[in-house]
Amino acid sequence: MKPNTKIYNVSRVEAGRLINGKGNLDIWDKAIVLNDFASPWENTVIDDIEFRALHNSENLFFQFKVYDSKIHINQADNSYVSIGNSDRVELFFRTNESLDPYYCLEIDPISRMMDFKARPNKLFDYNWNWPKTDISIKSKICKECFVVEVAISFFSLKAFNLIHDNIIEAGIFRAKYRKQECGAYKPTWITWVNPLTEIPDFHGPTSFGRLKLEN
C-alpha cells in the first residue's frame, strides 16, 4: 500500500540569501507554512513544527521552527554519534523511487550536521559530504522553540540529479529525544509523509513527498 503523494509548493522570491538562523526575516511570510507532521508509530502528542521553503535563481532555502522548551542535545563531541543522539531535523533527497542513491542531511539545534549518501537497505556512506561551498546552515535556540535555516545551491542539487521538471522528491523529518524513567533517552520519530511501515523507517521509498518549485 502506497501513501498518497504529498506536494509542497515552494514559492519563488527575488531576494538574495534568506537565512540568519533567527526565523524573523519578513521574506519568509511569502512561504507556505507546512505543519502537517505526525508520529504514526506512537500515540503521543508532538510539539508543533513549522516548515517553510523558498527559492530564488541560485538557492533553495529551508526553515524549521520547532516549538520545544525541553531540547535534548548530546554535546559529548561533534561526532555523528553525538548528533545522532540529539534532537534534530532531517531533509532527505532522492534521485528516484529506487533510492539509488539518496542524500541525507540531519541537523541539530546548534547547526551541527550529519550528512551522508545512502543506497537501498540502509547502505550509508558516512565518508561522503555535501559540498561545503554549496550549503549553509544557521540556527538559534529560543525560549519556546529552536530554529534551523538551510540554504542549498541549485548547482549542487542539479549535480546530484535531484531536480526533474521543477520537482524535488524529499523527506522532511524530525527526531525528538525524551528522557525515560531509567535515565536513558528514547527517540520519537516524526514525519511529514506517513510511510505506512510497522516500525519507524525514513529510509524507504514511501517516506518521500514532493517539493514543487514555482516559477
Side-chain angles (χ1 to χ4, degrees):
M1 182 178 178
K2 291 185 177 181
N4 294 325
T5 300
K6 286 190 172 183
I7 298 174
Y8 175 88
N9 293 317
V10 183
S11 299
R12 181 184 174 93
V13 294
E14 298 303 324
R17 298 187 72 83
L18 309 181
I19 66 171
N20 64 3
K22 300 178 182 179
N24 61 356
L25 296 177
D26 291 342
I27 193 70
W28 285 106
D29 292 340
K30 297 181 180 296
I32 297 170
V33 179
L34 175 67
N35 52 19
D36 185 17
F37 292 89
S39 180
W41 308 280
E42 292 190 27
N43 184 20
T44 184
V45 176
I46 64 170
D47 300 311
D48 290 337
I49 303 168
E50 294 180 357
F51 170 87
R52 295 170 172 85
L54 293 168
H55 76 98
N56 62 15
S57 59
E58 297 180 352
N59 297 289
L60 182 59
F61 303 94
F62 300 99
Q63 182 193 94
F64 290 87
K65 280 188 180 179
V66 181
Y67 291 87
D68 183 354
S69 60
K70 296 182 179 180
I71 300 167
H72 173 66
I73 304 174
N74 183 316
Q75 298 190 61
D77 50 41
N78 288 321
S79 68
Y80 279 9
V81 173
S82 180
I83 300 169
N85 286 316
S86 299
D87 286 3
R88 60 190 185 274
V89 295
E90 304 181 3
L91 289 166
F92 290 6
F93 305 106
R94 70 182 185 186
T95 52
N96 52 55
E97 194 171 343
S98 71
L99 301 182
D100 195 13
Y102 62 107
Y103 302 87
C104 306
L105 309 176
E106 307 191 9
I107 306 165
D108 75 3
I110 55 174
S111 297
R112 298 182 302 177
M113 179 172 68
M114 174 166 56
D115 52 337
F116 55 96
K117 185 177 181 179
R119 295 189 182 277
N121 300 314
K122 298 184 180 180
L123 297 177
F124 302 154
D125 179 2
Y126 290 111
N127 292 317
W128 180 93
N129 300 108
W130 201 281
K132 295 187 183 302
T133 55
D134 289 296
I135 189 168
S136 178
I137 300 169
K138 295 183 182 296
S139 65
K140 182 179 181 179
I141 298 175
C142 307
K143 183 177 181 181
E144 297 179 343
C145 69
F146 69 87
V147 177
V148 172
E149 295 181 337
V150 185
I152 300 177
S153 76
F154 277 121
F155 177 83
S156 60
L157 290 164
K158 291 175 181 177
F160 300 141
N161 193 30
L162 294 172
I163 305 177
H164 304 99
D165 297 325
N166 286 334
I167 296 292
I168 299 172
E169 298 190 30
I172 307 171
F173 314 112
R174 184 196 174 201
K176 168 60 189 170
Y177 279 77
R178 292 186 171 90
K179 192 171 186 179
Q180 308 299 297
E181 291 184 0
C182 63
Y185 283 86
K186 177 185 176 182
T188 294
W189 302 104
I190 300 164
T191 177
W192 170 39
V193 175
N194 182 353
L196 302 177
T197 56
E198 292 186 8
I199 61 174
D201 185 3
F202 296 162
H203 296 274
T206 57
S207 64
F208 288 74
R210 294 182 176 181
L211 306 179
K212 183 177 180 181
L213 304 176
E214 296 185 342
N215 295 321

